[in-house]
Amino acid sequence: PTWLNTTNEIARIFTSILRAFVITQVASALGKMATVQDGPTDPESEKETKPDILSDGSANLPGLTSGALSTSPVTAPSTGTSKPEDQQTLLAVLQFLKRNNLTESVDILRREAGLSDEADDTQGAEAGGGGLGTGASVGAESGDANSLLSRVSIGTGASQNTVASTPAKGGEDQPDVSVVLSAYSQQGDPSLYQVYYSGLKKFIESVLDCHRAELSQVFYPLFVHMYLELVYNNYENEAKAFFEKFSGDQECYYQDDLRVLSGLTKKEHMKGNETLLDFRTSRFVLRISRDSYQLLKRHLQERQNNQIWNIIQEHLYIDIFDGMPRSKSQIDSMSGSLAGEARRDANKTKVFYGLLKEPEIEVPLDDEDEEAENEEGKPKKKKPKKDSMGSKSKKQDPNAPQQNRIPLPELKDSDKLDKIMYMKETTKRLRLSPETLPSICFYTFLNAYQGLTAVDFTDDSSLIAGGFADSTVRVWSVTPKKLRKVKSAADLSLIDKESDDVLERIMDEKTASELKIMYGHSGPVYGISFSPDRNYLLSSSEDGTVRLWSLQTFTCLVAYKGHNYPVWDTQFSPYGYYFVSGGHDRVARLWATDHYQPLRVFAGHLADVTCTRFHPNSNYMATGSADRTVRLWDALNGQCTRIFTGHKGPIHSLAFSPNGKYLASGSTDGRVLLWDLGHGLMIGELKGHTDTVYALKFSRDGEILASGSMDNTVRLWDAIRAFDDVETDDFTAATGHIHLSDNSQELLLGTYLTKSAPVIHVHFTRRNLLLAAGAYNP
């Protein structure tokens, strides 16, 4: 067409497209900023859950007197808005083009829109002053061009310090394009921060008791973000005064975080700080009833407290539920993690916690077994029934994953022989109960000046391994059978490979000893794990590697390098082949022994991954972290399927129940928490230890839970009663939480004190004898 040859027509079309695009983008951005993420709501209540938009009131805006606030909800501009809103948007675009010296585009856009130079300058001056905060939305009454411009141009990379150095045409200092680049841009008078916080505190303390506990949850995240805003904007004295006045009001389990926070006193300190990164990249989750939320929203509207509302929108996630407000005890039991509670929708994914169907293996009974059974008056046909007490299932569990959901290694002949031995041991297993407690055998590491840091037993309890601070890995035999190496290649060539005892002949008797020491790590060894077939041993170290050792040659086969920092824990899958590791880099990794790169990387924790455990069906892994949360990961797709909050300190021990349905976790707060994997809820709290719970293990039949602690004790708990006491009706509660009864003393079956040895590992043998280990600490 001939009209395309006209340059002015091209410019006009391009300008119209640009104008429509910018208006649409501004409308979309402001619409998002006007909504607080407060959880799923139904259509009828959608209007109630969206926060009302509060204006800053500090600028002299058209149609408003100084300090006035608009308390009615204000909608964001869109392509079909009124003329004043369109005009404000055009002014924002014009200013952006001016600052980039695109004068021709400015002239074309002004002519096309019918704006005069005088109108542009006058209205630009009227709209000057401080823009709204990043969490507030702008509408017809309060929408100045600078605030719109600051939102259109977010992320341009300019520094916050350039805001005041760009004078507007009208003579006032207007915000620069990057006014919202920082999460902690200045929102108001720093001297009023204490007034804002005190006013909210006074209001919350005056509300009804049923709402006070829920609303009090906002104190800590608001305190942190208001303090960081002051520090970021170089108000060091105001920040210090604010911290000293209100830090003592925070919950005791946040004291460690507050100590770190108190060291951030200058803007320069904030660069690269991990704690600050946690708060800026994750939104603090609060679970609040709808009635309590409405009280808070109404108060902030009436008091015109835009300062606090901006922080709530920007940094908090309000998970609103319908129903009665939660009690103080219910809230405290779920609080304590770095990022608040878990969102309810985070624990809705279906988890296949059932056990895989075991291959059918016939168990040949020798004469001794038959005689022993006959002497006890138990006929042979009852033997298979006893196996039902164990953790292995012969029938397909309806809650179990598909057998081929993840590829598992095929059973070798040696594995089948070991399963036969396991099933024989099962028939002789002691059935534990509150009246029949297990015997306990404690292994004390004397003169362990190398610094014992990790311990593990083989499944058949024939070997024990220790990781030490001097970088060594040591393996002992706890049976009369000594440890031997395989003969050299020259000697192996002389062996008759067809002989029946070839496996015995390949071992070198000259190397027999009770202890083998393996060297290879260049830092303290923090994690140890035997393979199910007892042929391999994993160790993780401060040097950032996980090493695979052969227990035939007692040499290192592979050093897996993927973590960049210390690796705190590692564990083999119950089926072998796979293993998981977690470390200081805040991620857990899933590996296969024949791959030098990880198969999956599980990222989501906000602090070190301190402990790792495989689910009995090998489809899931649990990780405990210094961020005070426990997460459950799916090996198939790498997704986080459960987030459990409630611990008040870093988590150092995890244990799955033999049936795969429950998980226990222990931490530095001395508590053991019990979790239901299917429903994603806490169902029990065991209190009694006075120091870090460093070891957890369920008995083979799941009746008893053993815990070992740095307080030099082993404690036994009635696991069956803890699970049976939970009412299934409680799982349907709208709050996603049940009321925990304080029955720890009733569930505690026994406390066993060592002489002076912190307990760092516990293990049940196949016959339910309890083994524990620790180093003597004089």
Side-chain angles (χ1 to χ4, degrees), residues 521-661:
H521 283 296
S522 58
V525 178
Y526 292 115
I528 288 284
S529 179
F530 281 106
S531 65
D533 60 8
R534 301 178 303 284
N535 288 327
Y536 304 101
L537 176 69
L538 282 171
S539 61
S540 61
S541 168
E542 187 184 56
D543 62 16
T545 67
V546 179
R547 289 181 179 263
L548 181 69
W549 307 85
S550 168
L551 297 181
Q552 305 295 326
T553 61
F554 295 97
T555 56
C556 180
L557 302 178
V558 192
Y560 300 96
K561 299 177 180 178
H563 293 275
N564 298 320
Y565 297 98
V567 187
W568 302 127
D569 196 20
T570 187
Q571 198 209 15
F572 256 116
S573 159
Y575 294 88
Y577 184 64
Y578 299 110
F579 65 93
V580 63
S581 62
H584 181 59
D585 54 7
R586 304 182 176 196
V587 299
R589 286 174 164 83
L590 174 66
W591 309 76
T593 51
D594 58 357
H595 288 67
Y596 66 90
Q597 292 289 344
L599 306 179
R600 294 281 184 274
V601 176
F602 306 116
H605 281 295
L606 300 178
D608 300 28
V609 177
T610 49
C611 53
T612 58
R613 282 296 176 272
F614 259 99
H615 190 276
N617 66 23
S618 202
N619 279 251
Y620 298 92
M621 286 128 294
T623 55
S625 170
D627 67 5
R628 307 187 284 278
T629 67
V630 177
R631 290 176 181 249
L632 187 72
W633 309 88
D634 191 337
L636 180 66
N637 50 35
Q639 292 181 351
C640 179
T641 58
R642 292 289 182 268
I643 303 175
F644 297 129
T645 64
H647 278 295
K648 307 302 186 285
I651 295 155
H652 284 284
S653 55
L654 295 167
F656 284 99
S657 62
N659 62 8
K661 188 176 182 180

Side-chain angles (χ1 to χ4, degrees), residues 440-469:
I440 304 177
C441 178
F442 191 84
Y443 286 85
T444 303
F445 289 75
L446 296 174
N447 304 319
Y449 302 119
Q450 305 88 356
L452 180 69
T453 50
V455 175
D456 192 31
F457 289 92
T458 54
D459 185 68
D460 68 351
S461 310
S462 62
L463 303 176
I464 182 174
F468 292 86

Side-chain angles (χ1 to χ4, degrees), residues 62-74:
L64 292 179
T65 57
S66 178
L69 286 174
S70 170
T71 57
S72 59
V74 182

